[in-house]
Amino acid sequence: MQQFLKDLFEGQQYHPDSFFLIAGPCVVEGEALVMGVAEKVSGICKNLGIPYVFKSSYKKANRTSIDSFTGIGDLNALQLLKQVKETYHIPVVSDIHAHEEAALAAEYVDMLQIPAFLSRQTDLLEAAARTGKTVNIKKGQFLSGPSMKFAADKVKHAGNEKVILTERGNTFGYQDLVVDFRNIPWMKEHGVPVVMDCTHSLQQPNQTSGVTGGNPELIGTIAKAAIATGADGLFIETHPNPAIAKSDGANMLKLDYLEPLLEQLVKIREAIIST
C-alpha cells in the first residue's frame, strides 16, 4: 500500500495486503443518516480489518432532472462530513464539480473525488491537486483504463502524488454500462491505487423517467470480480433504505447487506494472497 494511503488511514488497524473501502450514502441528506451509516460501517470495517473512508456528496450537481435533490446546503453538509470525521476518527471524501469548489471542500474532507464525466477537466484536476488532499479520479464512462494516465499526470504535474483512479464502467448504448475488468490491471500500471466503483458501474442512466435506474443485485458480483482482478479498494454507496434515498437509490446497496458481502470479500482476498 502506498505511503499516502498509510497516512490517510493512520490510526486504523489493517493488514498491508487488505483492500480498503470507500462507502456511504450517495448524498448528505441529514445528520441522522450520515452519522448512522458512518457508525455502522466503521464498526464493521474495524472488526474485519478493512481501512475505511466515509463517502457522501455534500451536493449533487450532476443530476438528470431539474427536480432532483441536490443537497441540504453546502456548508451544512460539509460540517456534517467533518462531524463524521471527528466522531469516528475516519477520513471522509466528497465529490467536487468545479475548480472553485476545491479549496472550500478541502477545509472539511480528506479526499476530493472527481466525477467520471469531469475526469478530463484540467482546471478541476489541478485545483484539486493544489489542495494537497488525496484526489480520487473516476474513469470517464467514455475512456479506457490506459488513457487515465493523462488524468493522473495532471494531478501529479500540479505537485500532488496522492492520486487514486476508480473504474466505474463504460457507456454501452444509451441506458446501460459494462465493466471491462482489464481496466483494473491497466490502471495499476500507472503506479497508483485502483478502486472499483461497485454501485455506479451498475447504473442505468438516461431513463425516460428522469431518474437513473440500476442493478444493485449485482453489486456482490462486481465486488468479487474486482477483488479477484487485483483492485486495491472498493467504492460502494450504501443506505439503510435505498427505496427512499434522495439520490441514486436504484443502485445503492442496502446497508444490512454490506457486512456479509465484506466478509466474503475478505475471504476472497485472503485466498488470492495465499496462492
Side-chain angles (χ1 to χ4, degrees):
M1 189 172 288
Q2 298 202 14
Q3 183 60 48
F4 78 85
L5 288 182
K6 293 180 180 178
D7 295 339
L8 182 69
F9 295 121
E10 184 179 6
Q12 297 192 50
Q13 295 181 353
Y14 61 90
H15 190 279
D17 292 321
S18 175
F19 62 90
F20 61 91
L21 177 68
I22 302 172
C26 178
V27 63
V28 175
E29 299 177 18
E31 181 177 2
L33 176 67
V34 295
M35 297 301 287
V37 172
E39 180 179 19
K40 183 162 185 176
V41 180
S42 61
I44 292 169
C45 289
K46 184 176 181 180
N47 290 338
L48 295 175
I50 300 172
Y52 175 47
V53 180
F54 177 84
K55 185 272 168 183
S56 196
S57 299
Y58 74 92
K59 72 175 177 180
K60 299 296 292 184
N62 51 342
R63 305 308 311 278
T64 301
S65 168
I66 189 64
D67 299 319
S68 298
F69 177 79
T70 59
I72 62 171
D74 294 359
L75 288 179
N76 288 339
L78 286 166
Q79 287 166 355
L80 284 176
L81 291 175
K82 185 178 181 180
Q83 184 176 333
V84 166
K85 173 182 177 177
E86 293 177 346
T87 301
Y88 300 107
H89 307 290
I90 52 177
V92 297
V93 58
S94 178
D95 355 40
I96 57 172
H97 302 85
H99 68 274
E100 60 267 21
E101 297 176 16
L104 172 63
E107 294 179 21
Y108 297 87
V109 306
D110 305 279
M111 182 189 298
L112 298 173
Q113 183 167 282
I114 309 301
F117 281 126
L118 302 176
S119 58
R120 291 181 48 159
Q121 296 299 109
T122 301
D123 60 346
L124 178 60
L125 291 167
E126 290 178 340
R130 286 193 293 269
T131 68
K133 301 293 184 176
T134 298
V135 181
N136 179 27
I137 313 170
K138 288 197 172 183
K139 181 180 72 61
Q141 300 93 326
F142 43 86
L143 296 174
S144 69
S147 69
M148 286 300 291
K149 173 184 183 299
F150 303 107
D153 284 349
K154 289 178 182 179
V155 176
K156 293 179 180 180
H157 187 263
N160 189 340
E161 296 289 326
K162 298 183 287 188
V163 184
I164 296 172
L165 295 179
T166 293
E167 164 63 24
R168 55 97 73 231
N170 282 82
T171 300
F172 184 75
Y174 290 103
Q175 295 176 330
D176 208 355
L177 296 166
V178 64
V179 177
D180 182 350
F181 284 96
R182 295 178 299 176
N183 283 322
I184 292 177
W186 279 342
M187 290 197 292
K188 290 184 72 167
E189 291 178 1
H190 305 326
V192 300
V194 173
V195 170
M196 180 71 228
D197 184 339
C198 303
T199 44
H200 291 95
S201 59
L202 292 167
Q203 279 185 333
Q204 292 180 312
N206 306 317
Q207 300 294 309
T208 55
S209 65
V211 178
T212 296
N215 291 291
E217 69 277 5
L218 294 175
I219 290 172
T221 300
I222 295 292
K224 292 170 189 176
I227 293 298
T229 48
D232 300 292
L234 299 176
F235 178 106
I236 300 176
E237 287 190 338
T238 183
H239 193 286
N241 186 356
I244 64 170
K246 295 184 178 181
S247 176
D248 279 3
N251 54 269
M252 276 197 280
L253 181 70
K254 188 173 182 180
L255 186 57
D256 287 343
Y257 299 160
L258 182 63
E259 184 170 14
L261 174 58
L262 291 176
E263 289 173 345
Q264 293 177 12
L265 297 173
V266 168
K267 292 177 182 177
I268 293 171
R269 187 64 155 216
E270 290 174 347
I272 291 172
I273 292 171
S274 64
T275 58

